[in-house]
Amino acid sequence: MNKKYILPSILGAAVQFFTVNPPLFAQGNTSIEIAFLADIHLQDVYADLKSSDFEGILNPKTGEFATIRTMNSQLNSTRLFNENYFAFLAALENLRKKGIHLVVLPGDFTDDGQPMNVLALQKILDYYSSNFGMRFFLTTGNHDTVKPFGGIAGKRDFLGNDGQEQAIAGDRNLFPSLEVAQSDQINYWGYTEVTEALANFGFFPSEKDLFWAHPFQDLDYENYSFDQAKVSSTLEIRTYSLQDPGLKLPDASYVVEPIEGVWLLALDGNVFTHSGTDLKGSSIGFNEASKLKEHQLAWIKKVTEEAEKRGKTLISFSHYPLLEFHDGASNEMAALFGERKFQLERVPTSEVTELYTSAGIQIHFAGHMHINDTGVFQDKTGKTMYNIQVPSLAAFPPAYKTAKIKRKDQFEIETIPLTEVDRFDEFFDLYRIEHRWLTQNNNSSTWDSTILASKNYEEYTQNHLKGLTKSRFIPSDWPENLVSLLSALSNPELIAWSKMDTEEGTVFLSEKLKNFDLTNIESSKIIDDFYLLKNGDELGKRLISEDRIEFYDELLPRIIEKEITTGSSPNKDLIQFFRIFEKFYHSHPSDHFVIDLKQNTLKKLED
């Protein structure tokens, strides 16, 4: 982390002329604004590996040695590893210019919590804190504390010399069949190391805050003392038992009042279970945390009651969602695609959502799924919870959210896309070297190089999603017949099918499948639109062409009227698919909207 390139030069020379913004509440300011940046997955792309085995690959554009992952690895991952570094800096610059000082990072702020990545994040956040008065509040995700107490780790897919893969590990024996560059900078850090390095960003009390507490102490607002809070905030105190009474695991949850009247409730939803002699992390979230962290749920109830009693605006955030995030289509997706497809095990059950709603959470910001979505749940008593899914900076749609608190119970939420990101194409020439090596060696991992023609960061992430859909999502999640139908049928044929009865439609689709060459399946425009909607919601819908919008506006109302038969048939599968598609197509507002907790309303705002 001693490379001069990271800051401030990465922001350009003009940064030295910036002045510190005025205090958060200038006179006359009538609202509070908070930004939410999720799933940054920061990897230090110009890291000092502190190893003589491998410095990185020389980037002629900068004269620095880049420590980046291959494009092939990116096109097989739900997240980018490299360009998101620049997206994060672009987002921070955007916030600086807007004068937003409170910033929440709801987990996966690093890519696997290695020293080189945690320290890179620390340096960036310290820079914006000290120079521009910004405050950051973090909670852990499954990619920040992969193992609760750390451990040996490595990656086999860094880009090496001549375009080949280079394995880097803390121990050469991790990849016995490969030539490994050894570096302790790639090992996992645990809770102790991660929270100590990022201690200034919410994990521990600060003199700047009016109040701070964690689940393992009394919630004593009246007698709050910073000195006392500091003494009682050590991670050794903040532990719970995992079945085995002798094993204590950390819980980094906390509640903080950074400015008068606003409480931020940071929920550490990570859970770990025994896997042989080791502890295995889970990506499931609150379906498991509600059982293994019962102490946390009881504490949440105390916090929400205290916030209500004292007239505080309480905003909950975690890496994990508390509410179904597929616009009510998760059960239908399980029926069509399978219960373990589309990461459906990560969807909170209605019982779990009801538990946290009953505990008093009304508005919750989450990441983890790399999607843009708004979910609403109301229990039998009338209690309502709003779950706001913050998109990732490392995937489509690349965006963050802001919440403007106009009064105690009213929030204006806006989604800010990162369309233009300076230097997003910094490594494209290096990827061309990789592509040339794969092509020359007739490697089966050769990828479509047209992604390197992307004109901006949004287009780049959209092309990444298309590549991922073809290489990973369709082969792993989709029934072959459904992909064939969506590839074979033209728009006029689908409209004609929508007017047929069940028997006629079944015969028509069977004939189409009989004459369709399955070996020539390409990604369907409908499937691409499906992922634009599933991942991007309103942001994705904007990217669907006008003629296709007209087509869906004609087709989908007809599908809703069609009867779903029992048994299995291409006709039934197609109806089920378009019913799921319709729910994504007509979703709750997720771009720019107002939530009124007092009136229990969700209203879209037109730009």
Side-chain angles (χ1 to χ4, degrees), residues 470-533:
K470 184 177 179 180
S471 68
R472 177 172 161 177
F473 292 155
I474 288 177
S476 67
D477 289 343
W478 289 70
E480 191 176 74
N481 277 351
L482 181 58
V483 177
S484 300
L485 286 172
L486 294 173
S487 302
L489 293 167
S490 66
N491 290 0
E493 286 175 323
L494 281 167
I495 295 295
W497 163 77
S498 72
K499 299 175 183 178
M500 300 176 186
D501 61 27
T502 301
E503 184 177 349
E504 186 183 3
T506 299
V507 172
F508 172 72
L509 296 179
S510 297
E511 286 299 315
K512 290 297 295 187
L513 283 174
K514 190 186 301 181
N515 298 318
F516 185 66
D517 183 2
L518 298 180
T519 62
N520 291 324
I521 292 177
E522 291 291 333
S523 182
S524 153
K525 284 187 177 180
I526 292 176
I527 294 177
D528 285 341
D529 290 346
F530 174 85
Y531 279 103
L532 285 179
L533 294 171

Side-chain angles (χ1 to χ4, degrees), residues 34-89:
I34 305 170
F36 296 82
L37 277 60
D39 295 276
I40 298 160
H41 288 283
L42 188 76
Q43 176 181 283
D44 190 348
V45 293
Y46 287 102
D48 181 359
L49 295 171
K50 304 184 188 303
S51 171
S52 58
D53 293 343
F54 181 66
E55 286 186 278
I57 181 170
L58 181 64
N59 187 354
K61 279 189 175 181
T62 64
E64 297 277 353
F65 287 92
T67 48
I68 60 174
R69 312 274 280 281
T70 64
M71 175 59 80
N72 181 56
S73 67
Q74 295 198 123
L75 288 173
N76 283 280
S77 169
T78 55
R79 64 192 186 277
L80 296 168
F81 300 120
N82 306 324
E83 288 66 39
N84 43 306
Y85 182 93
F86 302 107
F88 179 44
L89 293 177

Side-chain angles (χ1 to χ4, degrees), residues 159-294:
L159 184 60
N161 296 322
D162 302 321
Q164 302 179 58
E165 283 190 345
Q166 172 65 57
I168 306 174
D171 186 330
R172 297 185 204 281
N173 294 323
L174 196 64
F175 304 121
S177 62
L178 301 177
E179 186 176 331
V180 177
Q182 189 166 342
S183 170
D184 62 4
Q185 294 299 297
I186 202 71
N187 286 334
Y188 295 135
W189 263 1
Y191 269 91
T192 298
E193 296 87 352
V194 170
T195 57
E196 283 182 359
L198 303 173
N200 293 332
F201 310 117
F203 288 122
F204 298 97
S206 166
E207 288 184 282
K208 298 176 182 178
D209 299 320
L210 300 174
F211 178 67
W212 187 98
H214 62 74
F216 305 94
Q217 63 180 161
D218 291 335
L219 201 66
D220 189 356
Y221 190 80
E222 293 288 352
N223 300 305
Y224 177 72
S225 157
F226 164 71
D227 291 333
Q228 190 174 353
K230 188 175 181 181
V231 170
S232 66
S233 68
T234 62
L235 215 56
E236 289 79 11
I237 296 173
R238 298 156 66 184
T239 60
Y240 66 101
S241 297
L242 178 66
Q243 299 165 336
D244 174 5
L247 179 62
K248 298 286 188 179
L249 291 177
D251 180 345
S253 301
Y254 61 91
V255 60
V256 62
E257 185 173 7
I259 54 175
E260 187 173 356
V262 176
W263 281 15
L264 299 176
L265 176 60
L267 299 178
D268 176 4
N270 285 348
V271 295
F272 302 89
T273 54
H274 287 290
S275 177
T277 58
D278 202 2
L279 282 170
K280 182 182 179 183
S282 168
S283 62
I284 302 300
F286 287 102
N287 285 344
E288 291 186 344
S290 60
K291 301 170 186 174
L292 298 177
K293 288 185 168 182
E294 291 182 1

Side-chain angles (χ1 to χ4, degrees), residues 389-493:
Q389 284 299 129
V390 183
S392 170
L393 298 187
F396 177 85
Y400 65 88
K401 288 186 185 281
T402 60
K404 189 179 292 183
I405 308 170
K406 295 190 169 183
R407 61 172 193 258
K408 176 184 177 295
D409 46 22
Q410 189 180 86
F411 303 82
E412 179 184 340
I413 297 170
E414 189 171 3
T415 312
I416 314 296
L418 289 176
T419 303
E420 301 292 339
V421 168
D422 189 31
R423 301 166 83 166
F424 85 97
D425 57 354
E426 181 105 330
F427 305 122
F428 280 21
D429 286 343
L430 299 182
Y431 297 143
R432 291 185 179 97
I433 295 173
E434 174 195 348
H435 189 271
R436 185 161 57 247
W437 186 89
L438 292 170
T439 303
Q440 290 172 350
N441 289 272
N442 297 314
N443 194 296
S444 60
S445 299
T446 303
W447 36 270
D448 185 352
S449 63
T450 58
I451 191 173
L452 302 181
S454 302
K455 297 180 180 64
N456 55 48
Y457 190 61
E458 183 182 67
E459 183 180 328
Y460 178 64
T461 58
Q462 187 180 350
N463 287 333
H464 171 259
L465 178 60
K466 286 181 180 179
L468 191 59
T469 299
K470 184 177 179 180
S471 68
R472 177 172 161 177
F473 292 155
I474 288 177
S476 67
D477 289 343
W478 289 70
E480 191 176 74
N481 277 351
L482 181 58
V483 177
S484 300
L485 286 172
L486 294 173
S487 302
L489 293 167
S490 66
N491 290 0
E493 286 175 323

Side-chain angles (χ1 to χ4, degrees), residues 340-351:
R340 299 194 64 81
K341 302 297 185 181
F342 283 86
Q343 300 180 332
L344 288 172
E345 67 274 10
R346 295 181 172 186
V347 176
T349 66
S350 58
E351 292 79 11

